[in-house]
DNA sequence: GTAAAGCCGTATAGATGTGTACGATTTTTG
DNA sequence: CAAAAATCGTACACATCTATACGGCTTTAC
């Protein structure tokens, strides 16, 4: 198989795996079920990924890469920092509460070994948080906020933004929000954030 | 078996089930494994609970009852509302980030049917949130806060309090916090909360 | 004290998952 | 075009889980 076709096939399989997992849960997403749904043989799955956990590890990694790219795009935009913050908020909620991230968090919660959870944290929070801290620095220098320190401001922003939405999505009691709902929530969050961190 | 002994045995089994689940994940916590660990027969488990999901549903319910009792105790205390808020914060973090709640949230995340998640939400958030809203009303009447509305204040308080701690616990990247850490976190949260909602 | 009921341990049938193996077919390589 | 490599479909051995059943023992009820 040519390299490009193989890459395409891999991401196809990974996408199917996530869909199976979404419908039948992590335990229901057996290698056999995934292989059938992807019209692949389980031998190929085992050859390519080793086992189920590593398959999902791959998915976590590629999802993290996509997410980071989406956020970096917002950060690289030539906009004033307050607009970048708004854009980041929208994109983060869209990513965090979307089907992919929710399915992966469910998988991590199901995985007793903790490896999936560690990978999610490594590709997610540990990568994103520093960017938010830097953004807070930019906001502070622009005189838009006056927090105790940038890290605290980042924590507050993320807490206000995400709240218990993620947990509710993961345990299945909250449907995926629409784009409009996300925008409204970001709006409210920003008001609260500036009220909390704004200059006196 | 006398009623009291039976109740004791039930809670014993449920506690063992949670421990097995904690160590081996939701899939690993089969009825057989739980029965062995509890020195019970699986026939008894099936007779008493029907199936695995209903066993965990029972656990969710009794855990919710315990949690509600713990919070009500804080609410009933004859203290000024700001002290009650602090106490509530501590107790909620203690409950939410403790082994029991985390294990149950993991089970809910693993359960594709969504029934466990629904039960958790029903016994948890849906019961607790109104209490916090009322508490916010008391704080407002005492002139300690001046929020847009009590519900919004409750949301902000909970968001600042919990942040992403719960998610990080559930995916296994955060160890259980000590009592000291909880107290410190509540302290910081309250400062932020009053800064956000305090009277101008 | 005796009968009835309940629990434990073990056994069972049926279903499903894991990881490997092997021809048949397709795709790549040269 | 031919050889080599990889994939698919199917099959397999082995393990485990679910849900039920039954004899042996203990506890409850009368």
């Amino acid at each position: 198989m040519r390299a490009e076709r193989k890459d395409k096939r891999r991401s196809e399989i990974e996408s199917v795996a996530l869909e199976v997992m979404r419908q039948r849960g992590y335990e229901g997403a057996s290698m056999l079920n995934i292989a059938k749904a992807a019209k692949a043989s389980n031998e190929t799955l085992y050859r390519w990924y080793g086992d189920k956990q590593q398959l999902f590890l791959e998915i976590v990694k590629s999802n993290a890469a996509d997410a980071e790219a989406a956020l970096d795009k917002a950060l690289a935009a030539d906009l004033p920092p307050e607009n970048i913050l708004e854009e980041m908020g929208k994109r983060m909620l869209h990513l965090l509460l979307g089907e992919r991230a929710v399915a992966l968090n469910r998988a991590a919660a199901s995985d007793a070994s903790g490896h999936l959870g560690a990978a999610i944290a490594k590709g997610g929070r540990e990568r994103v948080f520093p960017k938010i801290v830097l953004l807070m620095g930019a906001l502070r220098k622009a005189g838009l906020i006056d927090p105790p320190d940038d890290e605290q401001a980042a924590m507050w922003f993320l807490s206000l933004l995400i709240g218990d939405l993620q947990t509710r999505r993961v345990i299945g009691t909250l449907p995926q929000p629409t784009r409009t709902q996300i925008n409204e929530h970001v709006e409210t969050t920003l008001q609260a954030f500036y009220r909390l961190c704004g200059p006196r």
Side-chain angles (χ1 to χ4, degrees), chain A:
Chain A
M1 205 180 259
R2 247 178 324 198
E4 54 187 51
R5 289 198 74 74
K6 188 158 179 173
D7 278 5
K8 196 178 166 191
R9 185 74 176 119
R10 278 183 85 100
S11 73
E12 215 174 286
I13 286 176
E14 290 167 18
S15 150
V16 169
L18 213 52
E19 180 57 25
V20 173
M21 146 88 205
R22 211 177 61 75
Q23 286 180 0
R24 316 177 48 156
Y26 189 63
E27 6 176 358
S30 68
M31 294 294 257
L32 225 56
N33 281 335
I34 294 168
K36 269 186 230 159
K39 288 192 202 300
S41 80
N42 56 348
E43 186 179 9
T44 304
L45 259 64
Y46 277 103
R47 181 200 305 271
W48 286 7
Y49 298 101
D51 61 20
K52 178 170 162 178
Q53 193 179 64
Q54 285 178 61
L55 164 59
F56 278 88
L57 267 178
E58 282 303 308
I59 302 178
V60 166
K61 282 183 201 163
S62 72
N63 192 54
D66 290 357
E68 192 170 15
L71 296 183
D72 282 345
K73 210 169 154 187
L75 284 170
D78 191 17
L79 290 169
E82 68 269 29
N83 292 22
I84 291 186
L85 186 65
E86 182 179 349
E87 188 60 30
M88 284 290 279
K90 288 180 187 172
R91 289 184 186 225
M92 285 186 61
L93 278 187
H94 189 72
L95 288 167
L96 278 178
L97 306 181
E99 293 292 355
R100 290 171 69 92
V102 168
L104 290 176
N105 273 294
R106 279 184 192 150
S110 307
D111 169 40
S113 80
H115 292 147
L116 281 183
I120 288 182
K122 191 160 193 161
R125 187 177 207 279
E126 291 176 23
R127 278 260 167 67
V128 173
F129 192 73
K131 296 182 205 284
I132 306 287
V133 174
L134 289 179
L135 186 51
M136 292 300 151
L139 286 162
R140 182 172 40 73
K141 280 170 199 145
L144 289 161
I145 61 174
D146 179 28
D149 62 272
D150 296 347
E151 202 154 310
Q152 184 65 265
M155 286 249 288
W156 283 340
F157 173 69
L158 289 178
S159 292
L160 288 171
L161 181 69
I162 300 166
D164 63 354
L165 295 177
Q166 197 178 11
T167 300
R168 284 160 71 197
R169 282 286 287 138
V170 169
I171 67 174
T173 60
L174 186 78
Q176 184 171 15
T178 65
R179 192 168 288 276
T180 314
Q181 288 171 322
I182 286 181
N183 290 350
E184 276 171 20
H185 184 75
V186 170
E187 196 70 27
T188 318
T189 297
L190 286 178
Q191 282 172 21
F193 175 68
Y194 286 120
R195 190 164 161 176
L196 174 58
C197 286
R200 303 280 87 178

